Amino acid sequence: MSAPMLFIPGPTWVPEEVARAQARPMIGHRGPEFTALFEGLIPRLQAVFRTRGRVLLVTASGTGLWEAGVRSLVRRKVICLINGAFGERWAHVAQANGKEVVPVQVEWGRGLRPEHALEALAAHPDAEAITVVHNETSTGVMNPVAEIAAAVRDASPDVLILVDAVSSLGGAPLETDAWGLDFVLTSSQKCLALPPGLAFCAVSDRALAKAHEVPHRGYYFDLLTLARYAERGETPATPAISLLYAADVQLARILEEGLEVRWERHRRMAERVQAWAAERFGLFAEAGFRSWTLTCVANTRGIDVGVLNAFLRSRGKVISSGYGPLKGKTFRIAHMGEIQPHHVEELLADIEEWLRREVSG
Ligand SMILES: Cc1ncc(COP(=O)(O)O)c(C=O)c1O
């Protein structure tokens, strides 16, 4: 059975050339070949993160770096902005690492605003950091991280700003340095269109300085250990070298397309899918906060998404059901990574055909 085209929010479709790169011969991770590979990746990752600062990588999915961020950068107390399942889970990870979490709950589907952060900071002046998910994959909301970060910097200059860009980095504007972000993490398998298994983060100098004051940072995800090894072009433990080969090829492809061109491609696909969804169904995310990388469709017609997906599979495509409590009430169409506008047109044509047959007919 050939694999369907993935319109799910990760893993996303990996180009052949990138997948093939994983078959390159193995090398030792303590030798010059590895250091050359590692050091070749860093400037390209910096370009994608829009930072001149430090970028680190781990052999793990993004969840590992959730843990790294809160465990290495928070001594005691962290404010977690939550407007969906992933914001909630990052807060849970912070708690599981023994941190005191101040959860700021905002209705799912609504966007986070600077006021949400400011109110929490006023009530908790001893908070050391704030977490925010740029793109809530569960609801299709893209949060205004630039505005939130500016407000936090202004009100509480010492508070670190930790950002989950798992389903946005490479598919929507995110400016680590210009927005003054301290820790930005992403996974390999979303907009970067790599296989799962790697996670990348940008870490500011002041964040790293803070890590020195934090005890019990663990080992595998200790940002200080990762940074120390990165300085000599290595990782503390054996990394997924095959995935790094794939990253080597794919990061070059991304920069060849042009990061801003790539963002614009995502924006145009979002605009198309969201205009279609608004006409045929509804949109779950609040206007003004809609994601560039996925669309969360409000299932106003009560269609059976499982049946639709079975039809789409027969056409070599698959979309995603609603997340957790939103299952049945919504479904999600991801337009991220290497998905092109013509793929979106083909998908929408198939869904239209199914609607004509199954719903109207
Ligand atoms: C916004 C967001 N954050 C974090 C995660 C967890 O990432 P991973 O599955 O790479 O651990 C996901 C996964 O879908 C996500 O969408």
Side-chain angles (χ1 to χ4, degrees):
M1 200 176 84
S2 67
M5 188 76 183
L6 301 173
F7 293 90
I8 61 173
T12 59
W13 180 73
V14 176
E16 278 293 317
E17 181 193 355
V18 177
R20 270 201 310 271
Q22 296 176 92
R24 287 186 198 165
M26 204 37 60
I27 53 175
H29 66 296
R30 298 287 180 236
E33 299 85 2
F34 180 80
T35 299
L37 172 66
F38 185 96
E39 289 181 345
L41 291 172
I42 299 303
R44 289 183 247 150
L45 286 167
Q46 286 171 315
V48 175
F49 276 93
R50 307 279 258 197
T51 182
R52 297 162 80 91
R54 181 182 303 95
V55 177
L56 303 174
L57 60 88
V58 293
T59 293
S61 73
T63 301
L65 286 181
W66 268 348
E67 185 145 307
V70 291
R71 187 153 181 178
S72 295
L73 304 178
V74 178
R75 213 180 144 83
R76 200 175 68 82
K77 193 172 192 178
V78 57
I79 294 170
C80 295
L81 303 182
I82 301 170
N83 63 339
F86 293 99
E88 193 158 284
R89 202 177 309 158
W90 200 1
H92 175 73
V93 168
Q95 264 164 349
N97 278 281
K99 309 302 172 185
E100 187 185 333
V101 169
V102 177
V104 177
Q105 298 279 359
V106 173
E107 195 187 336
W108 288 29
R110 301 202 43 98
L112 296 173
R113 278 131 169 115
E115 306 85 88
H116 295 128
L118 294 178
E119 282 161 24
L121 286 168
H124 300 273
D126 55 339
E128 299 145 72
I130 187 159
T131 68
V132 54
V133 174
H134 185 211
N135 193 68
E136 241 314 336
T137 320
S138 58
T139 61
V141 166
M142 198 156 78
N143 289 307
V145 167
E147 289 164 38
I148 294 168
V152 171
R153 282 271 178 167
D154 199 35
S156 309
D158 294 335
V159 167
L160 297 179
I161 302 163
L162 318 187
V163 177
D164 169 325
V166 166
S167 60
S168 58
L169 196 89
L174 185 134
E175 302 278 356
T176 300
D177 288 355
W179 297 355
L181 311 178
D182 291 293
F183 178 74
V184 180
L185 74 107
T186 201
S187 306
S188 52
Q189 76 277 12
K190 310 268 186 191
C191 301
L192 300 179
L194 283 163
L198 291 176
F200 310 102
C201 63
V203 188
S204 72
D205 285 342
R206 66 178 199 146
L208 215 61
K210 165 81 187 201
H212 283 283
E213 298 167 19
V214 178
H216 309 303
R217 297 182 307 277
Y219 182 79
Y220 192 70
F221 293 119
D222 174 18
L223 292 177
L224 288 179
T225 305
L226 286 160
R228 202 172 61 244
Y229 276 84
E231 263 166 37
R232 53 179 204 246
E234 290 184 4
T235 53
T238 318
I241 294 170
S242 309
L243 291 172
L244 296 177
Y245 288 148
D248 189 36
V249 174
Q250 177 62 349
L251 289 168
R253 290 178 84 261
I254 289 171
L255 297 177
E256 200 173 281
E257 179 182 10
L259 189 62
E260 289 171 17
V261 172
R262 193 175 176 88
W263 292 344
E264 176 59 16
R265 170 165 60 80
H266 282 76
R267 192 199 62 75
R268 279 192 290 124
M269 294 192 296
E271 190 175 73
R272 171 73 175 108
V273 175
Q274 285 159 21
W276 170 84
E279 198 180 307
R280 289 286 187 266
F281 292 88
L283 287 160
F284 186 74
E286 181 182 359
F289 294 86
R290 290 176 185 149
S291 168
W292 289 23
T293 64
L294 91 150
T295 297
C296 185
V297 183
N299 187 8
T300 49
R301 299 164 75 156
I303 63 163
D304 186 329
V305 179
V307 176
L308 168 60
N309 240 346
F311 171 78
L312 290 175
R313 275 179 193 281
S314 75
R315 297 291 171 90
K317 303 176 182 72
V318 62
I319 61 170
S320 195
S321 59
Y323 193 95
L326 298 177
K327 204 176 166 99
K329 296 183 194 142
T330 65
F331 59 94
R332 293 170 302 158
I333 299 175
H335 24 80
M336 62 171 73
E338 295 304 316
I339 296 275
Q340 303 296 324
H342 73 90
H343 297 126
V344 166
E345 292 307 326
E346 287 157 24
L347 175 75
L348 296 183
D350 284 340
I351 301 179
E352 280 293 319
E353 182 183 330
W354 183 81
L355 286 173
R356 272 195 306 277
R357 278 204 227 161
E358 298 290 319
V359 180
S360 326

